[in-house]
């Protein structure tokens, strides 16, 4: 049975003079034009790999946007045996980087969709291009991420002797998950981190915030205790984030999350059935501890709508 080789990549896009453009890369080793992509490192998750490979191949730092169709094809592995390669793709916006080419790529070309279609060397790469163009035409390509996180695994209540439950810390598995979330969250380049003030929530998102030079802003209404006192504050926090329209992370607790997702679910009414199902499943489970639920939002305030959903499970 063939082995599976996981890989990830992006289609960086921009609008110039009201015209959509996408970035292709040229690999001199194969003399081909394709999307920036590469294999996952051992233990690496898909989204961080897509962002990392894009930066390594193009010199550009990107924010992942809506997921695009994956590609599957057979190739030979390093031992010359057939292997199934699976590549997951995202649309991506450039948020930084020098553009200096240092790894396997000798040219990056920004082309309009028709030019890109003609220059791509592999028919399978055109499926992602068509999907990206459809999103652009539907107004669902220009999005910002709202990432809802349930705190990672904490010391059990029965084993905690510290008295105040808000001080209960993450256990070893929770600390490991908080570390793993750094790359996952960074792939979506949030610019704001909001959390329950409980230690287990802050500790879940603090490693990412520290790495990104951001401050974790705590809000009592997102805590279990604050939610019990006033169940209206947590949903209002979501509405404020939607009004601001800035890429953001929000970390809270299982008992609070249904109220947060209840605000967001109606905004996904026009999303694909699979995305609505993902959101419903996440809400039913109150998210898994340490999960990051990425909602790709187009528009802000009353015009905001969720156009795609991703679950990143521990």
């Amino acid at each position: 049975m063939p082995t599976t080789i996981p890989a990830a990549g992006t289609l960086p896009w921009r609008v110039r003079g009201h015209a959509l453009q996408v970035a292709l890369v040229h690999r001199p080793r194969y003399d081909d034009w394709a999307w920036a992509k590469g294999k996952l490192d051992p233990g690496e998750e898909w989204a961080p790999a897509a962002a990392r490979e894009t930066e390594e191949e193009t010199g550009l730092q990107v924010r992942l946007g809506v997921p695009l169709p994956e590609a599957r094809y057979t190739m030979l592995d390093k031992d010359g045996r057939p292997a199934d390669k699976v590549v997951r793709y995202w649309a991506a916006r450039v948020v930084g980087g020098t553009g200096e080419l240092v790894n396997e790529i000798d040219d990056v070309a920004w082309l309009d969709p028709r030019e890109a279609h003609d220059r791509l060397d592999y028919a399978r790469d055109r499926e992602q291009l068509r999907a990206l163009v459809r999103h652009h035409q539907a107004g669902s390509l220009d999005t910002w991420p709202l990432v809802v996180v349930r705190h990672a695994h904490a010391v059990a209540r029965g084993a905690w002797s510290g008295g105040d439950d808000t001080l209960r810390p993450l256990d070893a598995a929770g600390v490991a998950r908080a570390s793993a979330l750094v790359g996952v969250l960074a792939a979506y380049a949030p610019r704001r981190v909001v959390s329950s003030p409980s230690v287990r929530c802050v500790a879940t998102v603090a490693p990412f915030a520290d790495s990104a030079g951001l401050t974790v802003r705590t809000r009592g209404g997102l805590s279990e205790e604050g939610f019990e006192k006033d169940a209206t504050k947590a949903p209002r926090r979501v509405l404020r984030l939607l009004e601001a329209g800035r890429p953001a992370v929000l970390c809270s607790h299982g008992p609070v999350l249904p109220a947060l997702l209840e605000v967001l679910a109606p905004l996904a009414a026009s999303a694909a059935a699979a995305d609505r199902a993902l959101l419903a499943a996440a809400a039913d489970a109150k998210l898994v501890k340490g999960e990051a639920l990425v909602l790709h939002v187009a528009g802000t305030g009353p015009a905001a709508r969720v156009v795609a959903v991703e679950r990143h499970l521990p």
Side-chain angles (χ1 to χ4, degrees), residues 41-303:
D41 287 339
E44 188 176 29
E45 297 190 41
W46 298 86
R52 174 185 57 77
E53 284 289 343
T54 301
E55 183 173 9
E56 289 180 359
E57 294 198 346
T58 67
L60 302 173
Q61 297 169 352
V62 297
R63 170 183 290 125
L64 300 189
V66 293
L68 299 172
E70 68 179 28
R72 290 175 176 265
Y73 51 95
T74 301
M75 60 176 292
L76 297 181
D77 65 17
K78 62 182 180 180
D79 298 318
R81 295 173 298 189
D84 293 329
K85 190 166 187 178
V86 179
V87 190
R88 293 187 182 176
Y89 286 102
W90 283 262
R93 291 292 297 267
V94 176
V95 295
T98 64
E100 181 180 358
L101 303 180
V102 297
N103 186 46
E104 299 180 4
I105 303 300
D106 65 353
D107 196 10
V108 175
W110 286 93
L111 305 173
D112 66 43
R114 184 176 296 277
E115 292 172 319
H117 180 278
D118 293 342
R119 190 173 297 193
L120 286 166
D121 278 287
Y122 306 104
R124 61 176 177 264
D125 288 343
R126 297 189 178 101
E127 184 176 0
Q128 293 80 36
L129 177 62
R130 287 190 290 268
L132 186 141
V133 170
R134 287 195 296 270
H135 276 294
H136 180 62
Q137 293 171 339
S140 56
L141 181 60
D142 188 3
T143 62
W144 57 274
L146 174 57
V147 188
V148 180
V149 177
R150 182 175 178 181
H151 69 75
H153 205 277
V155 171
R157 282 188 168 91
W160 171 241
S161 58
D164 186 349
D165 190 64
T166 66
L167 300 179
R168 187 159 49 91
L170 298 180
D171 62 14
V175 171
R177 179 55 182 167
S179 178
L181 278 173
V182 172
V184 174
L185 298 178
Y188 300 92
R191 301 311 305 156
R192 185 177 179 86
V193 181
V194 182
S195 173
S196 157
S198 295
V199 167
R200 57 193 183 276
C201 281
V202 174
T204 298
V205 293
F208 162 71
D210 291 344
S211 71
L214 302 175
T215 299
V216 178
R217 303 177 184 274
T218 58
R219 297 293 183 266
L222 294 173
S223 68
E224 288 190 51
E225 296 78 11
F227 185 69
E228 289 178 358
K229 291 179 181 177
D230 186 347
T232 67
K233 288 185 177 180
R236 286 206 301 269
R237 182 60 51 190
V238 174
L239 292 174
R240 288 173 186 168
L241 292 174
L242 290 170
E243 188 67 37
R246 294 179 61 197
V249 173
L250 185 155
C251 185
S252 190
H253 309 258
V256 185
L257 289 169
L260 304 182
L261 298 180
E262 187 176 349
V263 175
L264 296 165
L267 305 184
S270 61
D275 292 292
R276 297 197 305 273
L278 273 180
L279 182 53
D284 287 344
K286 300 180 181 179
L287 275 65
V288 174
K289 289 181 179 179
E291 176 180 350
L293 178 72
V294 181
L295 301 110
H296 297 278
V297 184
T300 62

Side-chain angles (χ1 to χ4, degrees), residues 5-69:
I5 300 174
T10 70
L11 277 63
W13 67 274
R14 67 187 185 187
V15 175
R16 290 291 185 271
H18 304 292
L20 178 66
Q21 296 180 335
V22 292
L24 279 66
V25 299
H26 181 260
R27 302 183 299 177
R29 178 181 177 184
Y30 303 102
D31 190 23
D32 62 5
W33 287 91
W35 307 123
K37 65 180 182 300
K39 293 183 290 186
L40 274 62
D41 287 339
E44 188 176 29
E45 297 190 41
W46 298 86
R52 174 185 57 77
E53 284 289 343
T54 301
E55 183 173 9
E56 289 180 359
E57 294 198 346
T58 67
L60 302 173
Q61 297 169 352
V62 297
R63 170 183 290 125
L64 300 189
V66 293
L68 299 172

